[in-house]
Amino acid sequence: MCDNVDVKHNEVFDSVAGIEIENTRHALVENNYAHNNTAGILVFITPGLPIKTAYDIIVRNNFVVNNNTPNFGAPGSIVSKVPVGVGIVVMAADDVKIEGNIITGNQTAGIVITDLAFVTDVASDTESEPNPDNIQILDNLMFNNGADPVAEVKAAMLTKFKTTGPDILANVGSAQEPDNCILNAERYTSFGIGKWSKCDITTTADVKTYLLPADAAPREIETDADRVARLYKGICAGCHAYNLRMIGPPAMAIQAQYYDNPQGIADYLANPVKKRPDFPPMPSQGHLSEELRLKVAEYMLCLSPKKLEAVAATQGQVAKCEKPSN
């Protein structure tokens, strides 16, 4: 949930997801070495977060190699559904350019372009548009991908009388539509890109960075309610999506447990203890003031099933809300 990001010059390995660009806009992922993960680089939208989009992203000049580590994500979490053996995944994100990468040795596929149904229920967040649009695959070096694809990909490839996976798989919905494009498609083994057009551009070299200039004005936070909303969206929601399991339990589960006790959440934030054996321990948020912890707890309890609403402020106090109806 960030804007204006550069991810450069990293080595990432032995993870489920090597690099995640999640619900983020204006991002450059360049000159990284992603190897021996379940999937090397992921560009995607997670439903249920306050930021509903991911777009204007460049994945360029990376080594994406041998990402075949078995998925050890917590059972039931979104990340646990990422299939093993994928180099780059673009799920529901828009305006993504993939250029100059060396993608090899990934046993399911080199690049997968897909919608939200890939790892989650599309209906879980009706405000998240599920399809990947304006995907541009420029020249990349891809070889030795798809040697041992997961069952779903193997079944798709059998319809083309092949038993190995592809360099490029566009497997659903608008992932196959002509607003997506590719250069030199004949160089790759592919599935599902028959309707893709030829890209008008050949390089992204004109983009040097997406970082804001050093003299960029800081974001102004004008009201107490705005500060609380930004705190929740920028910190809490990264682990607690509304109705999906991520790193921590969903906000819905927390509402059910604490619906009339925001002080209980505030106290827990300062001194968390591990309660759920299937979730990691929560880091302390004791650096936040007691007043701010209480207000963000009240904000969480006011989240609606359909959207994350700002909490009204009255004389500097965050309004309490009714017990969630769901």
Side-chain angles (χ1 to χ4, degrees):
M1 292 189 290
C2 299
D3 289 319
N4 301 99
V5 177
D6 284 357
V7 181
K8 296 184 176 184
H9 312 301
N10 303 282
E11 181 182 7
V12 292
F13 57 93
D14 292 344
S15 300
V16 174
I19 295 174
E20 289 185 358
I21 303 299
E22 176 188 18
N23 298 51
T24 287
R25 292 78 61 91
H26 317 300
L28 173 61
V29 182
E30 183 173 40
N31 295 336
N32 301 286
Y33 178 27
H35 65 95
N36 297 98
N37 307 285
T38 302
I41 299 175
L42 290 82
V43 180
F44 64 105
I45 292 175
T46 294
L49 296 183
I51 301 299
K52 305 295 183 181
T53 55
Y55 58 80
D56 189 22
I57 296 155
I58 297 173
V59 181
R60 183 173 70 192
N61 300 336
N62 301 283
F63 290 89
V64 188
V65 180
N66 297 333
N67 291 286
N68 304 307
T69 296
N71 191 319
F72 54 88
S77 65
I78 286 182
V79 74
S80 71
K81 301 175 184 178
V82 173
V84 63
V86 180
I88 297 174
V89 178
V90 177
M91 184 181 77
D94 300 327
D95 303 320
V96 180
K97 298 176 178 68
I98 302 174
E99 178 193 5
N101 303 283
I102 297 176
I103 305 170
T104 181
N106 306 288
Q107 291 181 352
T108 289
I111 299 173
V112 171
I113 312 295
T114 186
D115 69 6
L116 286 179
F118 188 57
V119 296
T120 188
D121 177 9
V122 176
S124 63
D125 184 353
T126 57
E127 295 180 73
S128 292
E129 201 281 317
N131 297 311
D133 299 306
N134 195 29
I135 309 303
Q136 302 174 54
I137 298 179
L138 308 181
D139 282 333
N140 299 271
L141 179 60
M142 288 185 273
F143 59 94
N144 293 340
N145 296 299
D148 185 20
V150 295
E152 295 86 349
V153 174
K154 184 177 290 186
M157 296 307 294
L158 282 171
T159 65
K160 299 185 70 173
F161 303 102
K162 295 180 179 291
T163 58
T164 57
D167 291 315
I168 302 170
L169 170 65
N171 68 334
V172 286
S174 71
Q176 301 177 347
E177 294 305 313
D179 71 334
N180 300 319
C181 70
I182 185 170
L183 284 180
N184 300 308
E186 69 280 357
R187 294 181 180 177
Y188 316 113
T189 301
S190 60
F191 183 84
I193 67 169
K195 295 183 180 180
W196 285 31
S197 60
K198 183 177 180 179
C199 295
D200 294 327
I201 69 167
T202 60
T203 182
T204 62
D206 58 315
V207 178
K208 305 301 182 184
T209 180
Y210 274 127
L211 297 181
L212 295 175
D215 59 353
R219 179 182 287 122
E220 293 185 4
I221 299 177
E222 297 181 353
T223 66
D224 194 58
D226 188 30
R227 182 180 301 277
V228 171
R230 290 188 183 279
L231 171 62
Y232 177 80
K233 293 176 181 179
I235 299 178
C236 307
C239 293
H240 303 283
Y242 184 75
N243 57 353
L244 293 170
R245 172 173 175 157
M246 295 182 64
I247 298 170
M252 286 179 63
I254 298 172
Q255 286 178 334
Q257 182 177 358
Y258 289 98
Y259 73 92
D260 59 350
N261 184 21
Q263 187 63 55
I265 298 177
D267 294 341
Y268 184 83
L269 292 177
N271 297 289
V273 295
K274 185 173 173 61
K275 292 185 175 181
R276 296 173 170 87
D278 53 340
F279 286 95
M282 177 180 173
S284 172
Q285 304 299 313
H287 58 283
L288 301 175
S289 69
E290 182 177 354
E291 178 185 22
L292 195 53
R293 293 199 307 270
L294 180 59
K295 289 180 177 179
V296 79
E298 291 172 337
Y299 184 94
M300 176 178 281
L301 293 179
C302 288
L303 301 180
S304 72
K306 294 183 178 180
K307 63 180 179 179
L308 302 176
E309 298 177 321
V311 179
T314 304
Q315 296 181 349
Q317 300 298 315
V318 178
K320 290 183 170 59
C321 51
E322 300 297 327
K323 176 181 177 180
S325 60
N326 60 312

